[in-house]
């Protein structure tokens, strides 16, 4: 009996030891998996900046081909694609060729990374690693369009106009969603009285900036009675500002002044940018025509504009949550931090967008040196974008009220039928 008890105790000790080892192995395995998840997530987040750098390099390539390619590069000898003297591979067509190459690269990345869900999928590895092969793929993608015929490049230019318009819509939705997020963050809360006061202060600053912008645009760009178009642009922007403020303060909407103040500043900026895009030869534009080399203010403004295009593409690409139908999904530990397919799709559309900026949305005439997004076509694109932004924002304010009224109108007849059916 004693031996039996001793054997049982020994067996129990061995069993506990084995269980302890299993538990410790599981803990080590779980800790290792957490470390791997963290490393993978960090690498995918770093990959975004590499793609952004590639996009910036492509923008600079397009500018170089447009302004200095024909002088500094040797004459191309592809008569079918570039003509006998290579003229069809520079200026407007050169920008479109570089844009097409960038579009091909990011669209291939979109096709090969879409529907990626987990960090340890093969497509996640393709998105975050294999940079040597992807740089080779990028070089091939940018080179191949220089062998295409001018007619095909012109066809791509027409297609790029549509893609650039889609990009503007996506960017607009992302901006409006950010404004609503910011407004919800600074909404009055009993537990955060300081946030309420800061929100009121910020809304006041945004409205003062918007009013100052409108007031200053009149003497700068509408100083003559003949500047009817600019007077209309500025006045209509002021009307939109007032309408957004009144609607946001309406008792049924009650969204406060912060979101409408931010949106007012945004549409004032779009109006100013649209008027600044008018040709320098316009009587109402106070800008001096740019010479061949451009002064330092023109160069700095040009570089800032390129960086703004890259940042707009980058911020829209990582903001896939604004375009999800279901936003209540729980984020798992092994889920990817952002949607790769949407990220690359936005960059492919951004390639079309920067092409339109460099050629001023005009496929027939080339833009001046050190200029970006200048011309009547660019002006009207920005003005329409401003009006569209205000329309979407107003709809986001009144749509909950409209939907609620529809639900109430549908519920009342049902209640009446139920009451009439009662004995």
């Amino acid at each position: 009996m004693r031996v039996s008890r001793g054997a049982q105790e020994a067996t129990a000790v061995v069993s506990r030891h084995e269980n302890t080892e299993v538990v410790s192995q599981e803990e080590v395995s779980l800790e290792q998996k957490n470390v791997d998840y963290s490393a993978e997530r960090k690498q995918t987040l770093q990959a975004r900046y590499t793609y952004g750098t590639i996009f910036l390099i492509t923008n600079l390539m397009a500018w170089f081909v447009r302004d200095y390619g024909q002088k500094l590069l040797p004459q191309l000898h592809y008569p079918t694609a570039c003509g006998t003297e290579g003229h069809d591979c520079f200026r407007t067509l050169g920008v479109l060729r570089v844009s097409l190459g960038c579009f091909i690269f990011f669209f291939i990345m979109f096709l090969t990374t879409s529907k990626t869900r987990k960090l340890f999928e093969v497509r996640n590895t393709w998105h975050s690693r294999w940079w040597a092969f992807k740089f080779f793929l990028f070089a091939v993608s940018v080179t191949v369009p220089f062998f295409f015929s001018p007619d095909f490049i012109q066809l791509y230019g027409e297609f790029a106009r549509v893609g650039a318009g889609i990009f503007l819509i996506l960017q607009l939705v992302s901006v409006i969603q950010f404004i609503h997020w910011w407004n919800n963050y600074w909404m009055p809360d009993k537990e955060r009285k300081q946030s309420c006061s800061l929100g009121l202060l910020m809304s006041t600053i945004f409205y003062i900036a918007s009013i100052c912008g409108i007031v200053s645009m009149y003497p700068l760009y509408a100083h003559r009675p003949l500047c009817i178009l600019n007077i209309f642009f500025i006045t209509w922007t002021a009307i939109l500002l007032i309408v957004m403020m009144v609607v946001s303060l309406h008792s049924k909407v009650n969204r406060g002044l912060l979101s409408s103040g931010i949106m007012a500043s945004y549409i004032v900026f779009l109006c100013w940018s649209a008027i600044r895009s008018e040709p320098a030869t316009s009587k109402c534009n106070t800008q001096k025509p740019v010479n061949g080399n451009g002064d330092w203010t023109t160069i700095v403004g040009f570089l800032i504009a390129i960086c703004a295009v890259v940042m707009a593409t980058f911020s829209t690409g990582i903001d896939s949550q604004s375009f999800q139908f279901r936003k209540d999904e729980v984020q798992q530990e092994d889920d990817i931090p952002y949607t790769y397919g949407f990220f690359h799709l936005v960059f492919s559309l951004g390639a079309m967008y920067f092409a339109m900026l460099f050629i001023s949305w005009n496929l027939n005439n080339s833009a001046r040196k050190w200029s970006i997004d200048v011309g009547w076509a660019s002006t009207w694109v920005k003005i329409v974008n401003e009006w569209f932004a205000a329309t979407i924002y107003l709809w986001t304010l009144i749509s909950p009220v409209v939907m609620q009224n529809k639900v109430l109108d549908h519920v009342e007849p049902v209640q009446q039928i139920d009451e009439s059916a009662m004995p």
Side-chain angles (χ1 to χ4, degrees):
M1 182 66 69
R2 293 179 179 176
V3 175
S4 176
R5 288 180 180 177
Q8 289 178 357
E9 290 177 358
T11 304
V13 170
V14 172
S15 177
R16 291 194 199 98
H17 182 68
E18 291 178 351
N19 291 335
T20 304
E21 289 184 350
V22 171
V23 171
S24 62
Q25 290 178 357
E26 290 179 353
E27 291 178 352
V28 171
S29 177
L30 182 60
E31 184 178 354
Q32 183 67 31
K33 185 178 293 186
N34 291 334
V35 172
D36 292 341
Y37 286 152
S38 177
E40 284 292 328
R41 186 179 296 273
K42 183 178 180 180
Q43 193 159 21
T44 57
L45 293 174
Q46 291 175 348
R48 301 178 303 176
Y49 301 102
T50 306
Y51 289 114
T53 304
I54 292 174
F55 190 75
L56 174 61
I57 293 173
T58 313
N59 277 259
L60 296 176
M61 288 174 56
W63 158 72
F64 178 80
V65 168
R66 186 196 70 176
D67 289 357
Y68 299 101
Q70 198 162 359
K71 290 183 178 180
L72 301 181
L73 293 177
Q75 296 296 329
L76 300 178
H77 300 288
Y78 312 121
T80 303
C82 303
T84 55
E85 297 182 357
H87 294 292
D88 292 338
C89 285
F90 301 104
R91 308 296 292 174
T92 298
L93 291 179
V95 171
L96 292 175
R97 291 177 193 274
V98 176
S99 169
L100 177 58
C102 185
F103 169 79
I104 291 173
F105 172 75
F106 281 107
F107 195 73
I108 290 174
M109 294 302 303
F110 160 70
L111 294 177
T112 53
T113 59
S114 60
K115 297 184 179 180
T116 306
R117 294 291 180 267
K118 302 299 181 180
L119 288 171
F120 284 97
E121 293 184 21
V122 177
R123 287 173 293 186
N124 176 72
T125 305
W126 164 243
H127 171 79
S128 306
R129 296 184 178 90
W130 296 15
W131 290 110
F133 180 77
K134 282 188 285 191
F135 284 134
F136 173 75
L137 177 63
F138 171 73
V140 172
S141 301
V142 174
T143 304
V144 166
F146 283 88
F147 293 90
F148 294 157
S149 65
D151 293 336
F152 181 82
I153 299 300
Q154 285 283 350
L155 181 62
Y156 167 75
E158 298 291 347
F159 179 65
R161 282 177 171 174
V162 179
I166 297 174
F167 174 83
L168 285 175
I169 295 175
L170 294 178
Q171 182 187 6
L172 181 59
V173 173
S174 179
V175 169
I176 292 177
Q177 289 295 328
F178 172 75
I179 290 174
H180 284 306
W181 172 84
W182 203 355
N183 181 71
N184 293 333
Y185 181 79
W186 295 107
M187 278 183 67
D189 193 343
K190 294 181 180 179
E191 299 178 357
R192 295 187 304 173
K193 295 181 180 179
Q194 185 179 2
S195 298
C196 176
S197 60
L198 288 176
L200 293 175
L201 176 63
M202 294 175 64
S203 62
T204 304
I205 293 174
F206 277 114
Y207 266 110
I208 292 176
S210 302
I211 295 172
C212 291
I214 291 177
V215 171
S216 62
M217 279 192 291
Y218 275 108
L220 288 176
Y221 305 109
H223 55 284
R224 299 180 181 179
L226 296 178
C227 302
I228 300 176
L229 190 60
N230 287 354
I231 294 174
F232 169 71
F233 289 160
I234 301 170
T235 305
W236 185 248
T237 302
I239 294 173
L240 290 176
L241 189 153
I242 296 173
V243 170
M244 289 189 301
M245 181 180 66
V246 172
V247 172
S248 62
L249 290 177
H250 195 275
S251 58
K252 292 186 178 180
V253 176
N254 195 21
R255 296 298 295 270
L257 289 174
L258 180 57
S259 63
S260 60
I262 301 172
M263 197 64 197
S265 300
Y266 182 64
I267 66 170
V268 169
F269 167 77
L270 289 177
C271 179
W272 171 81
S273 180
I275 296 176
R276 290 278 297 177
S277 293
E278 294 177 358
T281 55
S282 175
K283 295 181 180 180
C284 299
N285 195 335
T286 57
Q287 302 177 82
K288 295 181 180 180
V290 182
N291 55 24
N293 298 322
D295 55 10
W296 69 271
T297 57
T298 304
I299 295 174
V300 171
F302 175 80
L303 295 177
I304 292 175
I306 291 182
C307 293
V309 173
V310 177
M311 289 301 299
T313 307
F314 183 85
S315 61
T316 306
I318 62 177
D319 188 26
S320 59
Q321 294 182 353
S322 297
F323 305 90
Q324 292 178 354
F325 293 101
R326 290 189 59 186
K327 301 183 181 180
D328 56 347
E329 297 180 358
V330 179
Q331 184 78 11
Q332 301 295 329
E333 188 180 16
D334 59 344
D335 288 344
I336 58 176
Y338 56 96
T339 306
Y340 301 156
F342 180 80
F343 177 82
H344 292 297
L345 178 62
V346 169
F347 270 80
S348 64
L349 295 174
M352 300 180 179
Y353 177 65
F354 81 69
M356 293 297 105
L357 297 185
F358 276 114
I359 66 175
S360 299
W361 299 81
N362 194 336
L363 301 179
N364 298 320
N365 298 321
S366 181
R368 302 188 315 271
K369 286 184 178 180
W370 293 104
S371 67
I372 183 170
D373 204 17
V374 175
W376 285 113
S378 300
T379 298
W380 280 106
V381 167
K382 291 180 180 179
I383 285 295
V384 172
N385 188 31
E386 175 201 339
W387 297 345
F388 193 60
T391 303
I392 291 180
Y393 176 74
L394 288 172
W395 171 246
T396 59
L397 292 179
I398 65 176
S399 59
V401 179
V402 174
M403 297 301 177
Q404 185 179 7
N405 291 336
K406 286 185 178 181
V407 171
L408 293 175
D409 292 340
H410 178 72
V411 171
E412 287 179 358
V414 174
Q415 291 178 348
Q416 293 177 1
I417 293 173
D418 292 340
E419 292 176 358
S420 62
M422 294 176 62

